[in-house]
Amino acid sequence: MKKIWLSLALVLLTGSALAAPQTVKLSVPTMDCPVCPITIKKALLQVAGVSQAQVNFERREALVTFDNARTHVDALMRATAEAGYPSTVAERQP
């Protein structure tokens, strides 16, 4: 019984150690109307692993928090591009 609990604890700890939330700021210069952020946010939230997306029209940028074990920055940029708004990395945060 002790081995089962130890194994379960190890699996849980290993899984959480591998998954680390990441935040990236994307520059989205092609936003040209106040409705654009809605489309971009919806596209980003559909990417598996994205937990939060904040899109600012005035600054033409998106701040995205995601699980780096489930997705990556290229997938986020692809999502904005497929929605009609190409993006680039403006800043990575820990």
Side-chain angles (χ1 to χ4, degrees), residues 16-36:
S16 63
L18 295 175
Q22 298 283 315
T23 302
V24 66
K25 186 183 294 183
L26 299 176
S27 173
V28 192
T30 58
M31 279 193 268
D32 59 3
C33 74
V35 178
C36 296

Side-chain angles (χ1 to χ4, degrees), residues 9-21 67-69:
L10 184 60
V11 167
L12 291 174
L13 288 174
T14 304
S16 63
L18 295 175
D67 178 346
N68 71 347

Side-chain angles (χ1 to χ4, degrees), residues 2-89:
K2 188 176 180 180
K3 286 184 180 182
I4 292 173
W5 285 111
L6 184 59
S7 297
L8 181 59
L10 184 60
V11 167
L12 291 174
L13 288 174
T14 304
S16 63
L18 295 175
Q22 298 283 315
T23 302
V24 66
K25 186 183 294 183
L26 299 176
S27 173
V28 192
T30 58
M31 279 193 268
D32 59 3
C33 74
V35 178
C36 296
I38 296 168
T39 303
I40 294 166
K41 182 176 182 173
K42 190 181 293 187
L44 288 166
L45 290 174
Q46 289 178 352
V47 176
V50 171
S51 58
Q52 188 175 21
Q54 300 171 352
V55 184
N56 186 296
F57 172 66
E58 291 79 20
R59 286 186 264 158
R60 309 286 195 277
E61 63 188 26
L63 189 63
V64 187
T65 303
F66 62 98
D67 178 346
N68 71 347
R70 296 182 65 203
T71 193
H72 47 84
V73 175
D74 290 339
L76 304 177
M77 293 189 305
R78 186 171 43 253
T80 64
E82 288 176 359
Y85 302 93
S87 63
T88 58
V89 175

